[in-house]
């Protein structure tokens, strides 16, 4: 089959780091056009692509089958809407959109146009999360009652960029929240309740730079999700407690750093975490107390685009459906309402 031609909108950090290097390594996808205001930056990395100044030039291009949107969050909805109306399949960098109403409109339009609409929740393919997911699904912890996941950083200075300015869709709840929320939903399904504390901890902060969410489930399970910008010495990335045992995982999936260093999927060592960050497991198996380490699985962001290419050809399910991404937007909306009103919000 002919490769699916891809047009990428945006060549900032997300487009140049998380999307372009991965797309170019996936058989069946051919990145041919990039929309950017800086052609020289694009051509230093991708000399073969055509650089466009206006995303609307993609809509009428007959050969482009897939449009990937990596521009600021408040542009996701209008660009995706125009791309779908022009008959393109669409991938949107997380977060999906700004609110649930926008998500619903795009889902309805994609169905009408018979086109795939997907959101790039790449952290489903992190090495650490894949390891946690495997242990939980194998039942080694018994019935999970407490799940805690952190995405902490140390960035005491507020930088001049849209993600940290007072504009729609900015702040860490929209930036890092989708990762942690989507992972929790992948493990336990949609929550019944949301409680949230949204903070601006840095003196010059204009938008939320720290959040603490508690997702509640009917069986008593609580998923605690936290991210902040003033954590110089991070604790565990994951702690999962169940009726039989506890799993603790330090460290961060290495793929982002590998991509920053110029590595690509398929390179030696790709997606493999340092052994020093292996998870520790303390549990009971058939009445026998066991303690030890769990080898970290290999991560693979390319898995998303491999499956997406197959889905476009009708050979596989969409890797992240728009309906799944909508659940994440529901939780974000509920978190904002919870923090504003000081109460637990039912989903």
């Amino acid at each position: 089959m002919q490769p699916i031609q891809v047009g990428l909108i945006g060549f900032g950090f997300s487009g140049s780091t998380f999307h372009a290097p991965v797309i170019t390594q996936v058989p069946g996808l051919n990145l041919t056009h990039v929309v950017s205001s800086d052609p020289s930056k694009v051509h230093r990395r991708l000399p073969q692509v055509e650089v466009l100044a206006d995303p609307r030039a993609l809509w009428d291009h007959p050969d482009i089958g897939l449009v990937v949107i990596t521009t600021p969050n408040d542009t996701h909805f209008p660009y995706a809407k125009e791309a779908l109306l022009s008959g393109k399949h669409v991938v949107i960098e997380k977060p999906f959109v700004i609110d649930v109403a926008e998500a619903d409109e795009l889902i309805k339009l994609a169905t009408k146009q018979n086109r795939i609409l997907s959101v790039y929740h790449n952290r489903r393919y992190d090495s650490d999360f894949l390891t946690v997911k495997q242990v939980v699904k194998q039942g080694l912890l018994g019935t999970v009652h407490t799940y805690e996941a952190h995405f902490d950083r140390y960035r005491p200075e507020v930088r001049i960029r849209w993600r940290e300015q007072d504009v729609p869709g900015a702040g860490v709840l929209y930036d890092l929240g989708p990762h942690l929320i989507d992972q929790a939903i992948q493990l336990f399904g949609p929550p019944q309740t949301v409680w949230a504390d949204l903070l601006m901890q840095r003196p010059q902060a204009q938008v939320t730079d720290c959040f603490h969410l508690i997702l509640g489930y009917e069986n008593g399970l609580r998923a605690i999700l936290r991210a902040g910008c003033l954590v110089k010495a991070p604790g565990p990335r994951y702690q999962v407690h169940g009726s039989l045992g506890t799993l603790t995982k330090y460290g961060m999936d290495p793929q982002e750093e590998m991509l920053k260093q110029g590595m690509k999927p398929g390179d030696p060592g790709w997606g493999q975490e340092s052994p020093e960050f292996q998870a520790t497991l303390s549990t009971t198996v058939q009445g026998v107390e066991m303690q030890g380490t769990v080898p970290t699985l290999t991560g693979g962001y390319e898995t998303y685009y491999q499956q997406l290419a197959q889905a476009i050809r009708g050979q596989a399910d969409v890797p992240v459906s728009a309906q799944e991404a909508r659940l994440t937007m529901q939780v974000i909306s509920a978190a904002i309402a919870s923090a504003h009103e000081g109460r637990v919000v039912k989903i």
Side-chain angles (χ1 to χ4, degrees):
M1 293 184 180
Q2 290 294 320
I4 299 162
Q5 294 198 21
V6 181
L8 174 65
I9 305 178
F11 206 70
F13 177 71
S14 177
S16 64
T17 304
F18 287 107
H19 291 269
V22 178
I23 293 170
T24 56
Q25 297 303 110
V26 173
L29 295 180
N30 184 19
L31 181 58
T32 58
H33 294 76
V34 173
V35 176
S36 172
S37 60
D38 190 349
S40 61
K41 177 184 177 182
V42 178
H43 284 145
R44 283 196 296 271
R45 304 263 194 101
L46 303 167
Q48 77 282 6
V49 306
E50 182 178 348
V51 179
L52 305 172
D54 189 339
R56 292 164 183 80
L58 297 177
W59 312 155
D60 298 326
H61 200 295
D63 297 328
I64 292 175
L66 172 65
V67 170
V68 179
I69 299 168
T70 72
T71 43
N73 297 343
D74 59 355
T75 66
H76 289 184
F77 173 76
Y79 285 164
K81 183 176 181 177
E82 291 183 39
L84 288 169
L85 286 171
S86 69
K88 313 300 184 186
H89 301 290
V90 175
V91 167
I92 304 176
E93 169 62 40
K94 62 79 204 161
F96 185 1
V97 280
I98 300 299
D99 58 42
V100 176
E102 290 182 342
D104 288 340
E105 184 173 341
L106 290 181
I107 290 170
K108 183 178 180 180
L109 178 59
T111 301
K112 180 181 178 181
Q113 296 291 100
N114 193 28
R115 287 296 179 266
I116 286 173
L117 172 63
S118 181
V119 178
Y120 190 60
H121 281 298
N122 61 308
R123 296 288 176 176
R124 291 188 186 186
Y125 310 99
D126 275 359
S127 57
D128 46 14
F129 176 68
L130 290 172
T131 305
V132 171
K133 183 178 179 181
Q134 176 180 263
V135 171
V136 170
K137 296 300 183 183
Q138 288 176 337
L140 295 176
L141 303 176
T143 301
V144 174
H145 55 76
T146 306
Y147 168 84
E148 186 165 353
H150 285 239
F151 206 135
D152 292 321
R153 297 166 166 172
Y154 186 66
R155 296 180 176 177
E157 301 298 328
V158 175
R159 292 184 286 179
I160 302 176
R161 56 175 192 160
W162 69 264
R163 295 181 189 276
E164 300 187 64
Q165 296 172 352
D166 188 11
V167 297
V172 295
L173 181 62
Y174 279 98
D175 186 21
L176 303 181
H179 293 316
L180 298 182
I181 294 167
D182 179 70
Q183 289 178 343
I185 292 174
Q186 285 297 294
L187 290 175
F188 309 114
Q192 279 69 54
T193 61
V194 177
W195 178 90
D197 195 11
L198 307 181
L199 305 170
M200 289 188 287
Q201 292 185 327
R202 295 174 296 176
Q204 304 302 318
Q206 299 181 38
V207 290
T208 297
D209 61 5
C210 176
F211 66 75
H212 185 93
L213 310 183
I214 301 178
L215 311 187
Y217 291 80
E218 287 181 351
N219 61 0
L221 165 67
R222 294 294 182 265
I224 302 165
L225 313 178
R226 184 174 175 85
C229 298
L230 291 176
V231 184
K232 195 165 188 177
R237 175 96 160 100
Y238 298 95
Q239 280 190 304
V240 191
H241 306 285
S243 58
L244 297 179
T246 292
L247 179 75
T248 303
K249 177 72 177 66
Y250 284 83
M252 179 72 74
D253 173 271
Q255 290 175 92
E256 178 175 343
E257 288 304 316
M258 289 177 172
L259 289 167
K260 288 178 181 178
Q261 295 166 14
M263 289 183 65
K264 295 180 180 180
D267 287 348
W270 169 257
Q272 296 177 6
E273 194 176 61
S274 171
E276 67 181 292
F277 294 120
Q278 286 184 339
T280 59
L281 176 64
S282 176
T283 190
T284 303
V285 179
Q286 296 182 346
V288 179
E289 295 290 330
M290 301 185 66
Q291 294 188 9
T293 58
V294 179
T296 306
L297 298 178
T298 300
Y301 293 163
E302 68 277 13
T303 306
Y304 172 88
Y305 274 112
Q306 289 168 351
Q307 189 174 340
L308 180 73
Q310 294 175 335
I312 291 174
R313 294 192 170 95
Q315 300 169 345
D317 293 331
V318 180
V320 180
S321 71
Q323 288 80 3
E324 290 175 314
R326 181 188 185 279
L327 287 173
T328 296
M329 297 313 305
Q330 277 188 283
V331 173
I332 288 176
S333 295
I336 293 171
S338 172
H340 179 69
E341 300 169 13
R343 65 181 179 92
V344 174
V345 173
K346 292 184 178 181
I347 297 291

